[in-house]
Amino acid sequence: MLCIKEEDLKIINWIKLSDYRYPIMLTLGKKLKTIASINRDSNIEINQIEEQLKFLEEKNIVKCINKESDKWNLYQLTGMGLRLLSLMRNQ
């Protein structure tokens, strides 16, 4: 049986409160993706993706690696995001 820290469990529950956060994390996996490619791979509306990426960034689960770019921002899961995704997949 997998032992999950209480702090991780709180964040996992927060992720699962949304219909969009976990699917976005699954779509990102270990890849760099733009909002458009997340949209294409997940069928989640772009405005929802933008909103959820902002929330996930605030929790240090996702990061934009080229914020200075005017367009085509690339997003990826952080180390914490990868760890949480792994825990959720194994639940």
Side-chain angles (χ1 to χ4, degrees):
M1 176 141 171
L2 194 62
C3 182
I4 302 176
K5 296 179 198 174
E6 185 176 335
E7 184 178 318
D8 288 344
L9 195 55
K10 286 179 184 177
I11 296 172
I12 288 169
N13 286 335
W14 174 82
I15 290 167
K16 290 184 175 182
L17 282 174
S18 166
D19 291 334
Y20 306 109
R21 293 179 195 135
Y22 182 63
I24 289 170
M25 290 175 69
L26 279 173
T27 301
L28 282 171
K30 293 185 179 182
K31 298 176 183 165
L32 292 172
K33 293 201 174 191
T34 63
I35 290 174
S37 64
I38 295 169
N39 167 260
R40 192 172 40 254
D41 294 344
S42 68
N43 293 320
I44 297 171
E45 296 292 326
I46 286 177
N47 64 330
Q48 282 296 331
I49 294 168
E50 290 172 334
E51 181 179 37
Q52 296 308 318
L53 284 173
K54 181 180 138 199
F55 294 144
L56 291 165
E57 276 189 285
E58 289 171 359
K59 298 270 189 188
N60 195 32
I61 296 168
V62 168
K63 69 178 176 180
C64 177
I65 65 160
N66 62 336
K67 277 191 187 261
E68 67 282 347
S69 175
D70 291 337
K71 59 179 181 176
W72 310 118
N73 287 337
L74 291 169
Y75 292 87
Q76 70 180 24
L77 292 176
T78 62
M80 178 180 169
L82 288 168
R83 183 173 52 80
L84 291 169
L85 182 59
S86 176
L87 289 172
M88 289 186 288
R89 283 179 171 164
N90 292 322
Q91 273 189 326

